[in-house]
Amino acid sequence: HKLILVPLLRLKARPTSLDLDGLGAGDAGARAVALALRGSPRVADLSLRHNHVTDIGAEHIAAALAVNSSLKQLFLPDNLITDSGAKRIAAALRGGGGPNATVT
């Protein structure tokens, strides 16, 4: 599943909403999504529920959010992210996604 994430985000259609729930992508998948988000400024909604993402994956996502201002909703429930990872994402949203972005 991890290997399909980057090609998916490189589609010419440039989706604005991605539902990647339950792929079990883990931190490697979160890293792949983060890399793709950097080059995909149209994605406004991203769901990564039930993917076993830890603080390591949260750090990758936070780095992408710091440079991607189009993401407005990020869904991360049922992962393994602690307060530390959540704080990194929140800080990145303040700098990139802005105050209108929502994380759940």
Side-chain angles (χ1 to χ4, degrees):
H1 294 112
K2 295 175 215 172
L3 297 177
I4 66 168
L5 295 176
V6 173
L8 175 70
L9 291 173
R10 289 187 181 154
L11 291 173
K12 290 184 182 185
R14 299 286 187 205
T16 59
S17 181
L18 293 172
D19 181 345
L20 302 174
D21 295 349
L23 294 178
D27 294 328
R31 182 177 181 269
V33 168
L35 289 172
L37 279 176
R38 291 178 182 192
S40 193
R42 295 188 61 195
V43 175
D45 302 305
L46 174 62
S47 183
L48 289 168
R49 293 177 176 110
H50 308 288
N51 271 291
H52 312 290
V53 176
T54 70
D55 289 343
I56 294 167
E59 187 171 330
H60 293 302
I61 292 169
L65 292 176
V67 296
N68 181 318
S69 62
S70 66
L71 194 69
K72 300 300 177 202
Q73 292 189 53
L74 175 61
F75 301 98
L76 291 167
D78 301 314
N79 281 291
L80 305 170
I81 299 171
T82 67
D83 288 346
S84 174
K87 286 177 184 176
R88 285 186 177 229
I89 289 172
L93 285 172
R94 284 191 295 274
N100 295 324
T102 303
V103 178
T104 57

